[in-house]
Amino acid sequence: MNVVIIGCGVVGAAIAYELSQVKGLKITVCDRQPPAQASTGAALGVLMGAISQKIKGKAWQMRQTSIQRYETLIPELEALTGRKIPFNRQGILMLLSAPPLNTGVEGISAWEKLVEIRHSQGWHLEIWDTAKLQDMCPQVDHKKITNAVYSPQDRQLDPIALTLALVEAAQQNGVTFKFGVTVLDAQTSPPESYPQFCVQLETTEGKIAADWFVVAAGLGSTPLTAKLNQIIDIRPVLGQALQVRVGHPLGNPDFQPAITGNDVHIIPVGGEDYWVGATVEFPSNENEIPPNQELLESAREQAIAFCPELATATIIRTWSGLRPRPEGRPAPVIGKLSGFSNVLLATGHYRNGVLLAPATAYAIREMIIPQGVGGSGRQGKQGEKE
C-alpha cells in the first residue's frame, strides 16, 4: 500500500516514522523545503501535558498519549540514529502571580482541583508556596509570585533535533523523503463519484500516485486542499523567541526545569544558555505579519521580572516562525478531508505541534490500518507502565 505524506515538519516526520513500523507500507514524504523548517524550526518544544487545563475528552487524551510516548520515543530514536535529542526531564514549573483584582484565592483553588483530577488520572502535580519556590529555584524573584505549580512528568525537547532524528529513523525503515518538491496539482476521481478519491499528485518532480495521501503541511495545507476544492482555512500566527547567554546556570545547576508564567517560557538549553519566548502575533491585513520588536522586548522583560539575572544576559540570537491556526474550528485538524475517502488531514496544530505529534501519528496510523497492532494497543501498554 502506497502512502504519501505532504509536509515534513515534526508532525509529518512523526507520522512517517510511526507508519514506517507497519509492514507492507511504501511511504513517501514530500516537502518543498528541507525538514524542520517553518513552524517546527521556530517552536520551543514545551510539552505541557499534566499542567495544561485540558482534563477530559480528545484534547486531554492526545496530550497524555504524547507525553507517555515521548518517554520511550526519545531513547528509541537516539539508539536508532546515534543522534542526541536534548530532552529536559526536570519538569515544568508554572509561576502564578496575584491578579490585579485579588482573585488569587479562586485562582489557587482551580489549581488544587487540577492536582486532584491529575492524581485520579495517575499523574502528579505539586503546588509550591513561595518558601518552597525560593528553596528549589532561588533564581526566581518570588516577591511578585503567589504560588507555583510544578509538573515533574511534563517535558521540554529540541524540536529540530527531534524532527531530524524522526526523518533519519524513518529512512532507516525504508521511507523515501523528497525535499525541494512542490505539489502543483491533484488528480481526483470524477466529481459525481462520492466519496471522491485522490488518484495522484502532480509535483515539480513528476506524478506521485498513492492509496493514501496525508496532508501534514501546516500553513501549506490551505493551498493544497484548495486543489481538491475542499479548502481547510489555516491562518498564520507569528511567534518570536530569543536565546540568551547568562554565563552560568540560573539557580540550582542540578535542577533546571522549564519555567513558565504569564505565557512566557524560560527554557534551559544547556549550561549557560536559555530560550525566552514566545510572542503571539496575529496578522493585521493580507496575512502579513512583520515581527513586532516591542512584543519580543515585553516577553524578555516579563522573563527578567521572573528571573532578574536575565537582565544582564547577552542576546545570542532571535528568531520567529508562523504557527498554523485553523480558522473557525478547534486546533488541530485531524481526520478525513470532507468528501474524500483517501485524503487524511493532520494539520493546524497551532501552538501544540510538537506536543501532539506522537498522538497525531497514532491517529493517522489507526485511520490507515484500523484495528491494527497500532496506536491503541501500544498506548494501553504504556499507560500500564506509567
Side-chain angles (χ1 to χ4, degrees):
M1 192 155 64
N2 284 310
V3 180
V4 169
I5 299 164
I6 303 128
C8 195
V10 66
V11 172
I15 294 167
Y17 176 65
E18 181 63 35
L19 292 179
S20 76
Q21 297 169 76
V22 179
K23 284 187 170 52
L25 292 187
K26 186 168 180 292
I27 302 155
T28 305
V29 181
C30 308
D31 199 311
R32 60 187 179 204
Q33 305 181 91
Q37 306 283 309
S39 311
T40 300
L44 298 179
V46 180
L47 310 177
M48 297 176 102
I51 209 165
S52 79
Q53 296 289 345
K54 309 286 186 197
I55 54 173
K56 56 179 195 285
K58 199 167 155 190
W60 162 243
Q61 204 49 56
M62 286 189 73
R63 275 177 159 79
Q64 174 168 257
T65 296
S66 283
I67 295 280
Q68 288 173 344
R69 174 61 176 135
Y70 271 126
E71 292 304 305
T72 57
L73 181 63
I74 300 298
E76 192 178 300
L77 291 172
E78 288 186 334
L80 277 168
T81 65
R83 289 172 175 269
K84 183 85 191 84
I85 303 168
F87 186 51
N88 187 340
R89 292 179 169 87
Q90 298 195 316
I92 295 176
L93 180 69
M94 184 176 285
L95 306 176
L96 308 179
S97 43
L101 297 171
N102 196 24
T103 53
V105 180
E106 276 172 46
I108 199 66
S109 68
W111 284 105
E112 285 164 350
K113 192 173 174 199
L114 185 65
V115 170
E116 284 172 29
I117 291 166
R118 289 292 181 247
H119 184 70
S120 73
Q121 294 170 329
W123 292 80
H124 184 64
L125 277 185
E126 300 169 11
I127 295 178
W128 292 357
D129 59 16
T130 49
K132 171 98 187 234
L133 175 63
Q134 195 175 11
D135 180 48
M136 297 298 288
C137 295
Q139 72 269 37
V140 174
D141 180 2
H142 63 281
K143 289 189 288 294
K144 303 181 189 75
I145 308 296
T146 53
N147 293 89
V149 181
Y150 178 57
S151 178
Q153 291 162 294
D154 284 334
R155 301 286 181 254
Q156 183 274 333
L157 52 76
D158 184 316
I160 295 178
L162 167 68
T163 306
L164 296 178
L166 285 165
V167 168
E168 192 175 317
Q171 276 173 326
Q172 287 182 19
N173 289 347
V175 176
T176 302
F177 287 84
K178 293 174 179 279
F179 299 116
V181 173
T182 304
V183 176
L184 304 171
D185 209 354
Q187 187 188 337
T188 63
S189 60
E192 53 272 16
S193 69
Y194 188 86
Q196 283 184 272
F197 57 92
C198 182
V199 180
Q200 61 184 16
L201 298 178
E202 287 180 33
T203 76
T204 45
E205 268 208 1
K207 295 180 165 61
I208 304 179
D211 302 289
W212 290 96
F213 295 90
V214 181
V215 178
L219 287 162
S221 305
T222 301
L224 260 170
T225 53
K227 296 182 200 313
L228 297 163
N229 299 317
Q230 291 286 350
I231 293 189
I232 300 295
D233 189 3
I234 296 175
R235 310 272 177 96
V237 177
L238 185 96
Q240 295 184 79
L242 42 91
Q243 181 168 335
V244 299
R245 182 156 296 164
V246 182
H248 57 86
L250 295 171
N252 177 356
D254 299 322
F255 182 61
Q256 294 282 305
I259 294 177
T260 185
N262 205 8
D263 213 16
V264 170
H265 305 309
I266 303 164
I267 298 163
V269 285
E272 47 193 49
D273 284 18
Y274 291 81
W275 288 347
V276 173
T279 63
V280 179
E281 304 174 42
F282 291 88
S284 46
N285 53 1
E286 301 303 310
N287 275 354
E288 288 292 309
I289 320 179
N292 182 326
Q293 201 50 47
E294 287 170 17
L295 288 176
L296 184 60
E297 183 52 33
S298 73
R300 191 177 85 95
E301 283 165 9
Q302 176 64 83
I304 291 167
F306 289 145
C307 298
E309 281 175 87
L310 291 171
T312 56
T314 311
I315 297 174
I316 302 294
R317 67 183 180 114
T318 64
W319 68 95
S320 67
L322 298 173
R323 311 177 184 98
R325 180 174 179 266
E327 182 67 21
R329 63 193 287 176
V333 181
I334 299 171
K336 278 190 177 170
L337 180 65
S338 176
F340 280 84
S341 59
N342 70 334
V343 180
L344 302 178
L345 302 167
T347 187
H349 286 72
Y350 190 25
R351 299 174 75 189
N352 288 313
V354 183
L355 170 61
L356 299 178
T360 302
Y362 277 147
I364 294 296
R365 175 174 171 156
E366 286 289 294
M367 287 174 215
I368 291 176
I369 322 256
Q371 300 94 43
V373 289
S376 54
R378 299 226 325 241
Q379 288 164 36
K381 283 180 198 146
Q382 280 158 8
E384 286 153 30
K385 199 174 74 181
E386 288 288 327

